[in-house]
Amino acid sequence: MKYIVGKVLRTLWWNRRISILMIAEIALGMSVFVYSANLFYSLSGEEAARKGQERDLVLGIYSDGDTPDGQAFTKEDYEKLQGLTGDKTFFFVAVPQFFAGKEENYEFLVILLDYSQAGLKEGSSYWGREVQGIVEKGVNPFPELQAQKMPEELESQRWKTETEEIALSGCVAAPVEYMEQMQDEISGAMVHAEWKSSELADAETVSREIERYLYAAHEKKYHYQVYAPETELKNHSYKVKLSIGMINKAGILSLVTFSFGMLGIFGLLFEHREEEFGIELACGADERQLCREIFLEILFLNGFGTVLGLLAGWVLTCYTDLGIMIGYIDVRGDVRTCLLGGMVCAAITVVVSFLIFGKLKNREIAGLLNGH
């Protein structure tokens, strides 16, 4: 086997220009295929997550260009919303905190929330297990509050916003009243308000009342919209899936083209190596040895190209934004794309090897030695 591997590598090196071209072609096709598959899995995952959300109405706060003067949302606004919705508003503010220490820097999220809703006692701040070591080192944005361990029921929760999912185990909870103290640190994107439409007497009317109040209270400096994320996602996902499908088809077309190209190139190489194969058979090599040799050549080319394509597709997924996905969907790599890529590589290798070896099997040794 060691001899066959060495011989295959030498053959690929002798034909390195063709080898590099074929590796580049499958890498290109595989990278596009992986990128589109990751987009599809990201969109599908977001759709599944949206369906599982209990609260189906969300407040969106936006601004044009530079942030206007004044807060986008205040504690008084929260109290008004509770009045309009009959105390059915689920509300929190996520404020990033950064402290520079002598030896290290500390970053964490402060969650401002209604203690009466969360069942927490006033006069305390509550620290998740992942940030308890920070307060022990003297880093505390709320020194006037007694620092306590966050209750396990609250700490185990993960709250999803339009841009991220927040694990409360890595956060500090403080009363919503601190919105006034931290007003300079709060932007509209940090404010999160949700409702269950089934709990509102008339969800559409209440939504319009909330929007009218906020526009009037803030002199139309910001844009406010109460909307259903799942509906919004459905409205956009059709076009998104069409774009993903086009990219996916481009990747598949490239892989199919590569397969036919590999078949043609190996067919030509086979014609030029007929005498070589004939001599090997005449010297005692069996058909299985030649089959392994042909299979390994194709596998090495496919394998190198596939690995490069998977890496390139992963980089595209993490660092390239073609403007296809909806802004609040987090595009991530999915391990299933690697499995699909491996299956495609295996399928191409087996099919091309079978067809090429079929030509060899149908030729007699004498015919191979004579080149016909």
Side-chain angles (χ1 to χ4, degrees), residues 179-356:
M179 286 183 67
E180 297 180 2
Q181 178 178 316
M182 307 179 75
Q183 61 180 342
D184 294 336
E185 303 176 56
I186 298 174
S187 67
M190 301 176 187
V191 177
H192 194 77
E194 290 184 352
W195 302 270
K196 292 181 183 179
S197 58
S198 59
E199 294 181 343
L200 305 177
D202 186 340
E204 185 174 351
T205 300
V206 172
S207 298
R208 300 295 80 79
E209 288 179 357
I210 291 173
E211 292 175 0
R212 281 196 294 270
Y213 161 74
L214 291 172
Y215 274 117
H218 296 272
E219 301 177 350
K220 297 185 177 180
K221 294 179 180 179
Y222 294 87
H223 299 286
Y224 300 91
Q225 180 187 16
V226 178
Y227 65 99
E230 184 179 349
T231 303
E232 190 89 354
L233 184 61
K234 286 181 179 178
N235 291 339
H236 289 84
S237 62
Y238 177 72
K239 293 182 179 179
V240 173
K241 286 179 179 177
L242 284 179
S243 299
I244 294 174
M246 292 177 63
I247 297 176
N248 188 261
K249 288 176 182 177
I252 292 175
L253 180 61
S254 180
L255 291 175
V256 171
T257 303
F258 162 78
S259 300
F260 281 106
M262 175 175 278
L263 187 59
I265 291 173
F266 266 93
L268 290 175
L269 291 176
F270 171 78
E271 298 294 336
H272 288 290
R273 295 166 64 187
E274 285 182 337
E275 291 189 12
E276 176 188 337
F277 291 140
I279 292 172
E280 289 188 39
L281 291 172
C283 291
D286 58 19
E287 291 182 347
R288 287 180 297 178
Q289 180 176 329
L290 292 184
C291 182
R292 286 195 294 268
E293 184 178 326
I294 293 171
F295 178 79
L296 283 177
E297 281 190 43
I298 299 172
L299 178 61
F300 281 1
L301 287 174
N302 268 340
F304 289 144
T306 297
V307 170
L308 290 176
L310 290 174
L311 292 175
W314 215 265
V315 171
L316 283 172
T317 300
C318 298
Y319 300 103
T320 303
D321 182 8
L322 298 180
I324 296 171
M325 297 295 275
I326 304 168
Y328 51 76
I329 293 181
D330 186 17
V331 180
R332 300 176 180 177
D334 193 294
V335 68
R336 285 174 290 182
T337 61
C338 294
L339 296 177
L340 284 174
M343 291 170 62
V344 170
C345 172
I348 293 175
T349 301
V350 171
V351 171
V352 175
S353 299
F354 178 80
L355 293 175
I356 295 299

Side-chain angles (χ1 to χ4, degrees), residues 3-4 28 39 54 57 99 114 122 127-128 136 151 167 193 199 206 230 233 266 272 290 300 336 347:
Y3 165 76
I4 295 176
L28 175 62
L39 292 179
E54 293 183 0
L57 291 177
F99 288 88
D114 189 334
E122 299 291 340
W127 296 68
E136 294 172 0
E199 294 181 343
V206 172
E230 184 179 349
L233 184 61
F266 266 93
H272 288 290
L290 292 184
F300 281 1
R336 285 174 290 182

Side-chain angles (χ1 to χ4, degrees), residues 138-199:
V139 178
N140 188 352
F142 312 107
E144 65 279 8
L145 299 177
Q146 182 180 359
Q148 295 194 31
K149 182 180 181 297
M150 188 178 293
E152 291 185 8
E153 182 179 353
L154 182 63
E155 186 179 50
S156 63
Q157 296 182 25
R158 301 178 73 90
W159 291 352
K160 186 172 179 61
T161 70
E162 290 305 289
T163 57
E164 62 180 326
E165 187 175 64
I166 299 173
L168 295 188
S169 59
C171 300
V172 179
V176 71
E177 286 76 15
Y178 275 82
M179 286 183 67
E180 297 180 2
Q181 178 178 316
M182 307 179 75
Q183 61 180 342
D184 294 336
E185 303 176 56
I186 298 174
S187 67
M190 301 176 187
V191 177
H192 194 77
E194 290 184 352
W195 302 270
K196 292 181 183 179
S197 58
S198 59
E199 294 181 343

Side-chain angles (χ1 to χ4, degrees), residues 122-140:
E122 299 291 340
S124 299
S125 60
Y126 294 86
W127 296 68
R129 63 178 178 273
E130 296 177 15
V131 292
Q132 287 176 10
I134 296 177
V135 70
E136 294 172 0
K137 295 180 180 180
V139 178
N140 188 352

